[in-house]
Amino acid sequence: MDSLFDAAAEEAHRGHEPLAVRMRPRGLDEVIGQRHLLGPGTPLRRLVEAEAPMSLFLWGPPGTGKTTLAYVVAGVTKRRFVEVSAVSAGVKDVRAAIEQARRDLGMSGRQTVLFVDEVHRFNKAQQDALLPAVENRWVTFIGATTENPFFSVISPLLSRSLLLTLESLSEDDIRVVLERAVADPRGLDGKVRLAPEAAEHLVRLAGGDARRSLTYLEAAALITGDEITVEVVERAVDRAAVRYDRQGDQHYDVISGFIKSMRGSDADAALHYLARMIEAGEDPRFIARRIVIFASEDVGMADPTCLQIAVAAAQAVEFIGLPEGRLNLAQAVIHCALAPKSNAVVNAIGAASEDVRRGNIGHVPNHLRDAHYGGAKTLGHGKGYKYPHDFEHGLVRQDYAPEELRDRRYYQPTRHGAEAGFADRWSKIRSFLRGQ
């Protein structure tokens, strides 16, 4: 049972809490976003409504509602809420929290929600300390993490828990968060007006993070007694409003400048456009996809490692998100900008595709056709095929292309960067294969 002193302290603190804390939903129906987790019949809703002991891992980017969901679960099910931070807590703290939960359960039957924030920071011993409580359901365990739990959480703990993946909030979700905070008595209670342009600026600054949007809104409200404008937001958070409409000309102009700067080998200009997109709240996955395309379209075989760097950056962004992911994007942009350039890959597949569209396809030579099914050999399929590995240098002269296309040239390499070496090799191989 909580002491009278605890209750008094909580009452005194109420009203001085940050806006993001005051606006925490009081029930599942007030939660904004995460519809895939909260719809009728979903595992989380059914577990909460049944008030059954459970163990959950909530995995998602910052500001998506992990702590909020833990509070809501505790509130809806009327369980005692105990929060442990993996940054500062040790095994002793974990065991003390579990022991208190056991006592409460035995004396009054009241269950406890044990919420561990940033659970990925717990070492193996600390995670092991949670196992008995999870195994015996002494607590409803909820662990929050921004990192992939399959890499950061021990298997016995993960296998005993339900893993729920949270997604970044959409722009529409953030707008609802802001509108509710402005009007709700728990929030700004309608005492200030939020200008539409300022709301859009806050949405961009939030980047899908509800807590960030509310923190910025509160900071802006503190320096005005009337209307929150774009200028007020800029003064409050020291971030200029970037003119950038993801659905309009700015979106296409900036991404065009970005691609053409990398193509022109101007790393500084490319980094400027990258920063401009990130600061405006552009989806980092969109930026990463453009870099991956660029790596083959404009660099290609002139630097084959460029594609590896671009794909690695895209995976890193998916894995860690922003703001740290901007470092991976920046590294890929610098690499792509400074790499020697070649459009031979895009020209090669373009020329080959054009022939196919025009009907210039011909027949696959008999010796290359599949000979593994019954009756294929009677049709002459595979007959006379020479296995290249049986020959010196892994090369043997035989026809590979359809006869009608034997002399067509698709890949015509440049002499830029590493492609010069591929050009020499391809010239020798082609001459040998064609008997020229």
Side-chain angles (χ1 to χ4, degrees), residues 126-423:
Q126 290 167 312
Q127 292 185 37
D128 280 337
L130 292 166
L131 278 175
V134 171
E135 181 77 38
N136 296 291
R137 296 192 170 179
W138 296 330
V139 298
T140 287
F141 167 72
I142 302 179
T145 177
T146 56
E147 296 191 6
N148 191 331
F150 289 103
F151 296 116
S152 56
V153 177
I154 60 174
S155 296
L157 188 55
L158 194 58
S159 65
R160 290 165 171 79
S161 307
L162 180 65
L163 174 61
L164 302 178
T165 304
L166 283 72
E167 300 171 350
S168 293
L169 273 64
S170 69
E171 290 190 351
D172 287 340
D173 291 332
I174 297 295
R175 289 188 188 98
V176 174
V177 168
L178 293 170
E179 290 168 4
R180 183 182 293 179
V182 169
D184 197 293
R186 292 178 296 156
L188 303 181
D189 197 18
K191 294 175 181 175
V192 295
R193 179 178 174 270
L194 179 61
E197 299 81 6
E200 291 307 304
H201 187 29
L202 286 170
V203 167
R204 287 193 294 270
L205 290 174
D209 185 327
R211 182 170 55 243
R212 185 186 302 165
S213 74
L214 292 174
T215 300
Y216 290 166
L217 175 64
E218 184 175 27
L222 287 174
I223 61 174
T224 182
D226 182 20
E227 182 181 34
I228 298 175
T229 63
V230 171
E231 292 73 20
V232 170
V233 174
E234 288 177 333
R235 279 191 290 140
V237 301
D238 195 26
R239 294 280 289 276
V242 180
R243 278 195 63 222
Y244 189 89
D245 177 5
R246 278 191 254 178
Q247 304 301 320
D249 292 343
Q250 284 290 314
H251 166 84
Y252 296 105
D253 289 347
V254 172
I255 194 65
S256 177
F258 175 62
I259 295 297
K260 288 171 182 172
S261 296
M262 285 196 294
R263 184 180 294 145
S265 300
D266 191 330
D268 286 338
L271 287 169
H272 164 78
Y273 292 119
L274 172 65
R276 199 156 149 182
M277 289 187 286
I278 291 174
E279 292 300 318
E282 182 61 84
D283 185 348
R285 294 170 298 183
F286 166 77
I287 302 172
R289 286 194 293 268
R290 296 304 309 171
I291 298 172
V292 171
I293 294 168
F294 179 92
S296 291
E297 184 176 24
D298 288 286
V299 177
M301 299 303 290
D303 181 359
T305 68
C306 213
L307 180 58
Q308 297 171 6
I309 296 290
V311 171
Q315 291 175 336
V317 164
E318 193 73 39
F319 182 60
I320 64 174
L322 293 177
E324 292 86 351
R326 69 194 178 114
L327 302 176
N328 309 112
L329 292 174
Q331 180 179 344
V333 166
I334 293 169
H335 189 111
C336 286
L338 299 184
K341 305 299 188 295
S342 168
N343 65 350
V345 169
V346 70
N347 288 341
I349 188 60
S353 296
E354 184 64 23
D355 268 351
V356 171
R357 283 194 292 267
R358 288 178 177 177
N360 298 331
I361 53 177
H363 298 284
V364 178
N366 263 1
H367 60 280
L368 298 184
R369 295 189 184 186
D370 182 19
H372 290 89
Y373 63 90
K377 291 187 178 180
T378 62
L379 298 174
H381 292 187
K383 185 178 181 180
Y385 173 66
K386 300 171 185 175
Y387 189 54
H389 295 292
D390 291 339
F391 295 83
E392 188 178 7
H393 305 303
L395 289 171
V396 58
R397 185 174 292 130
Q398 61 184 337
D399 288 334
Y400 291 98
E403 185 177 354
E404 299 89 332
L405 301 170
R406 188 173 184 273
D407 294 322
R408 294 288 291 152
R409 287 178 176 266
Y410 297 128
Y411 179 47
Q412 301 193 45
T414 69
R415 304 295 303 178
H416 304 161
E419 196 163 35
F422 290 103

